[in-house]
Amino acid sequence: MSSIKIAEKAGFCFGVRKAVETVYREAEEARGEVYTYGSIIHNEEVVKDLERKGVRVLDGPEALRALRGGTVIIRSHGIGREIYEICEKKQLRVVDATCPFVAKIHRIVQEENAKGRQVIIVGDPAHPEVMGIRGWGRKDTEVIESAEDFEALGLEKGKSISIVAQTTYNLTKFKKILDKITDLGYDIACFNTICNATQERQTEAGRIASEVDAMIVIGGQSSSNTRKLAEICSAACENTFFVQTADDLDPKVLASFERIGITAGASTPKHIIEEVQTIVRSEF
């Protein structure tokens, strides 16, 4: 008898749910034009649905400066100080849906800089959350993705350094980077800012992947946290499938597997997860 294991932590996390609900509410109330600064979350299906409801995406500071009015919603990833200043100067109505865990990192960066410490962010430098975090730091704030990146900075050993992490960063990798930096003899203050939901999701996904013959990870291709889930699952289960929607899943591929696991990123809507579950169950 074949079996299916479904992760309890799959789907929207608290921060994403709050942000998405905020945009839908604002679109419904329609106080003039409604915009999000960047895609509200990294899920193409949700973004398309919001576009149908009249919500437009601003792709950068210049698009923001070109506005003549309307409501700007700050996405769950957060933004840097400069973007708030532009909104204030333009006298735009701002609805802040920044994830509380991300907002906490913004405060830490400012507090550590005020103590005279240099901030290092462990994460993807091109990710909007990391760009926003960096926007609250001094000019010497750096972003690294590995211990090698840190060494390449060539920082003086006596420098006081504070380290934070992108909320969706791989916890195991983060710990390894910290261990290496500590071994190098630097004076560091570490803040594990990987959110609890991410840690729990990654741990659960890895455990399920180690117990099944095939693992399905559901989420947008541009979603950082979903890509990390796929990476973790692939390390534990060689038959890991990363799909965005049920349409990306070939049921025939699953026929040869006895035990199948399913998880999903923090920006994956519930209905997409349910559609994938239906296809998998139909094969068994």
Side-chain angles (χ1 to χ4, degrees):
M1 182 69 179
S2 299
S3 64
I4 302 171
K5 292 188 177 184
I6 301 170
E8 293 182 6
K9 305 296 181 182
F12 283 178
C13 64
F14 165 76
V16 168
R17 183 179 296 108
K18 170 178 171 284
V20 171
E21 289 175 353
T22 297
V23 182
Y24 276 104
R25 183 181 68 247
E26 290 295 328
E28 198 171 302
E29 294 176 357
R31 304 182 201 178
E33 297 290 341
V34 177
Y35 306 89
T36 62
Y37 189 77
S39 300
I40 191 64
I41 57 172
H42 283 151
N43 186 280
E44 290 79 355
E45 302 303 311
V46 173
V47 173
K48 288 177 183 176
D49 188 48
L50 287 169
E51 284 178 351
R52 288 191 287 269
K53 297 181 183 301
V55 178
R56 302 179 188 180
V57 177
L58 301 171
D59 58 8
E62 292 310 311
L64 188 61
R65 290 189 180 96
L67 293 185
R68 294 180 178 277
T71 295
V72 176
I73 302 172
I74 306 306
R75 57 185 172 180
S76 56
H77 299 108
I79 56 175
R81 184 188 288 110
E82 175 198 8
I83 305 305
Y84 283 108
E85 291 172 349
I86 294 173
C87 290
E88 186 176 349
K89 186 175 181 180
K90 297 284 295 184
Q91 296 185 318
L92 299 168
R93 177 173 176 264
V94 175
V95 177
D96 198 339
T98 301
C99 170
F101 291 107
V102 175
K104 179 182 177 181
I105 305 176
H106 295 173
R107 292 193 295 273
I108 291 172
V109 169
Q110 294 175 84
E111 290 167 0
E112 293 306 295
N113 275 172
K115 296 175 185 176
R117 303 180 70 90
Q118 179 174 359
V119 172
I120 304 294
I121 306 166
V122 179
D124 177 358
H127 192 279
E129 179 191 316
V130 174
M131 294 168 69
I133 295 169
R134 195 171 191 174
W136 290 97
R138 298 189 310 236
K139 290 184 178 180
D140 64 354
T141 301
E142 300 282 0
V143 181
I144 63 170
E145 294 186 271
S146 66
E148 289 72 26
D149 286 348
F150 178 83
E151 290 185 81
L153 296 176
L155 302 180
E156 296 176 10
K157 286 289 176 70
K159 202 170 187 66
S160 296
I161 300 166
S162 295
I163 301 177
V164 298
Q166 182 177 344
T167 58
T168 56
Y169 201 76
N170 184 310
L171 179 60
T172 301
K173 284 188 173 183
F174 182 57
K175 288 179 177 178
K176 287 181 179 178
I177 291 172
L178 291 177
D179 288 344
K180 178 64 175 177
I181 294 174
T182 301
D183 290 344
L184 290 171
Y186 283 90
D187 169 25
I188 65 170
C190 171
F191 297 85
N192 179 6
T193 51
I194 298 174
C195 77
N196 292 335
T198 295
Q199 294 180 31
E200 293 170 357
R201 191 184 304 265
Q202 291 178 354
T203 299
E204 182 186 35
R207 176 181 57 77
I208 293 176
S210 69
E211 298 170 349
V212 297
D213 304 311
M215 190 73 186
I216 301 170
V217 181
I218 314 165
Q221 294 294 324
S222 59
S223 167
S224 173
N225 77 86
T226 309
R227 289 200 308 272
K228 288 181 177 64
L229 281 180
E231 182 181 280
I232 289 167
C233 291
S234 294
C237 178
E238 61 178 358
N239 301 305
T240 293
F241 303 93
F242 185 177
V243 301
Q244 184 163 299
T245 68
D247 293 337
D248 300 324
L249 189 64
D250 182 357
K252 296 178 183 178
V253 175
L254 305 175
S256 61
F257 302 116
E258 289 294 316
R259 300 169 300 167
I260 295 178
I262 300 175
T263 190
S267 53
T268 306
K270 184 179 179 180
H271 75 273
I272 293 180
I273 300 172
E274 292 175 341
E275 288 168 3
V276 171
Q277 289 179 25
T278 298
I279 287 178
V280 175
R281 291 188 188 283
S282 69
E283 290 302 303
F284 296 136

